[in-house]
């Protein structure tokens, strides 16, 4: 080899140099990719952050001002209302036309049919009385229980002043019809065997019952035994009769309780029947 030629690297040395150069190139490319990715990610994060800070937080990208101006307000939740009461009382369970029914409605516009009807189960009512009372068996039992309760609960002693009256008796009492408290023959509740005029053993009868302890007790408790104060003072234009604080009508505990609980005080109103003018 000439003395002035520089030393040439061997073939093995050259291969090592090429290998190292290749590795360094790959490392540099990888580093560059990481740096570029990081820079791009930072820029995207900054942009997203600015968008998020300007949004309403609901993902729409609208500003608070835009949201307030364009969004429809959500209705406030309404309070749940209580379920409507369901009327479960069957007003058709008994007839109001059949004279033998304890629900029969009798007034000047609704006479009995037949007009000379007479119950076939009349019995004597074993209570204190002015005239011996007769009533239908069911009503009689209820009167006895009610009178006994008045004594046991309030120390009061009730008595019967009048109960069943026949058609012929009503003809005599009615006369020329000048007494507004006397029903026409065939239209009297007394003829049903379900009505009773109540007083007190101490002599308080008829109008006296309006202000007496006996009358007060009856008005508060008669429904418990199936009785209704038939002619209340504030319903003269409904029943067609002046107020009678002494006249009670047996209608059974079921109906009497239903009327008491629902606030009805006349059969006409409860069953949706026409009112009866006083002058009829």
């Amino acid at each position: 080899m000439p003395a002035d030629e520089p030393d040439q690297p061997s073939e093995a040395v050259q291969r090592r140099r090429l290998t190292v150069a290749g590795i360094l190139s790959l490392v540099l490319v990888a580093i560059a990719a990481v740096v570029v990715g990081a820079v791009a990610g930072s820029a995207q994060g900054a942009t997203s952050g600015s968008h998020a800070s300007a949004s309403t937080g609901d993902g729409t990208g609208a500003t608070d001002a835009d949201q307030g101006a364009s969004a429809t307000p959500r209705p406030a939740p309404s309070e749940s209302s209580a379920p409507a009461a369901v009327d479960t009382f069957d007003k058709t369970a008994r007839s109001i036309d059949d004279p033998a029914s304890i629900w029969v409605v009798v007034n000047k516009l609704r006479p009995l049919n037949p007009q000379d009807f007479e119950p076939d189960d009349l019995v004597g009512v074993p209570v204190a009385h002015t005239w011996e009372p007769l009533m239908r068996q069911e009503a009689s039992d209820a009167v006895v229980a009610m009178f006994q309760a008045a004594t046991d609960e309030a120390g009061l002693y009730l008595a019967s002043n009048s109960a069943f009256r026949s058609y012929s008796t009503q003809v005599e009492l009615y006369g020329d019809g000048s007494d507004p408290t006397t029903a026409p023959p065939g239209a009297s509740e007394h003829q049903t065997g379900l009505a009773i005029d109540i007083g007190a053993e101490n002599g308080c009868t008829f109008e006296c019952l309006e202000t007496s302890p006996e009358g007060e007790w009856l008005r508060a408790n008669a429904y418990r035994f199936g009785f209704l104060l038939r002619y209340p003072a504030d319903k003269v234009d409904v029943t067609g009769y002046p107020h009678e604080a002494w006249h009670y009508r047996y209608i059974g505990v079921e109906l009497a309780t239903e009327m008491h609980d629902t606030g009805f005080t006349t059969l006409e109103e409860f069953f949706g029947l026409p009112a009866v003018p006083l002058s009829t």
Side-chain angles (χ1 to χ4, degrees):
M1 177 179 294
D4 58 353
E5 273 187 6
D7 294 336
Q8 297 294 322
S10 67
E11 184 177 350
V13 171
Q14 289 178 345
R15 284 200 298 270
R16 284 198 298 271
R17 288 176 179 176
L18 290 174
T19 299
V20 171
I23 292 173
L24 289 175
S25 297
L26 291 174
V27 170
L28 290 174
V29 170
I31 292 173
V34 171
V35 171
V36 170
V39 172
S42 298
Q44 183 177 3
T47 302
S48 300
S50 63
H51 286 171
S53 64
S55 71
T56 60
D58 60 2
T60 62
T63 64
D64 290 342
D66 292 339
Q67 184 75 2
S70 62
T72 302
R74 294 178 181 179
S78 58
E79 295 183 2
S80 58
S81 57
V86 177
D87 184 5
T88 59
F89 188 85
D90 184 4
K91 294 183 179 181
T92 65
R94 296 176 184 266
S95 173
I96 61 173
D97 301 312
D98 182 354
S101 170
I102 63 171
W103 286 8
V104 63
V105 181
V106 186
N107 58 40
K108 297 172 187 176
L109 299 180
R110 294 175 55 85
L112 295 169
N113 184 19
Q115 289 193 350
D116 61 352
F117 168 78
E118 183 169 316
D120 58 9
D121 60 345
L122 291 172
V123 297
V125 187
V127 295
H129 56 269
T130 304
W131 291 282
E132 184 176 1
L134 296 176
M135 297 186 76
R136 293 181 59 181
Q137 182 69 67
E138 183 178 343
S140 173
D141 294 342
V143 167
V144 172
M146 183 167 65
F147 281 26
Q148 187 61 53
T151 301
D152 295 343
E153 297 174 9
L156 302 172
Y157 295 87
L158 302 175
S160 168
N161 289 323
S162 181
F164 169 74
R165 293 200 295 261
S166 67
Y167 177 84
S168 58
T169 299
Q170 200 66 25
V171 169
E172 296 175 6
L173 291 175
Y174 186 68
D176 61 2
S178 59
D179 183 358
T181 66
T182 302
S188 170
E189 286 205 324
H190 285 282
Q191 195 177 321
T192 67
L194 300 170
I196 183 172
D197 293 340
I198 303 175
E201 277 195 69
N202 63 12
C204 176
T205 60
F206 300 107
E207 284 80 3
C208 173
L209 213 63
E210 180 65 37
T211 56
S212 69
E214 289 83 1
E216 182 178 352
W217 188 90
L218 283 168
R219 287 189 292 274
N221 295 282
Y223 79 94
R224 295 164 44 200
F225 305 90
F227 285 91
L228 172 71
L229 176 64
R230 186 64 176 95
Y231 305 123
D234 61 341
K235 296 301 172 67
V236 173
D237 58 345
V238 174
T239 65
Y241 288 104
H243 175 45
E244 295 185 4
W246 58 89
H247 183 105
Y248 280 83
R249 159 69 191 278
Y250 182 74
I251 55 176
V253 173
E254 182 184 20
L255 177 54
T257 300
E258 177 70 13
M259 291 182 65
H260 174 271
D261 292 348
T262 55
F264 285 94
T265 57
T266 70
L267 293 173
E268 286 80 7
E269 291 173 308
F270 183 80
F271 287 110
L273 300 173
V276 184
L278 182 62
S279 59
T280 299

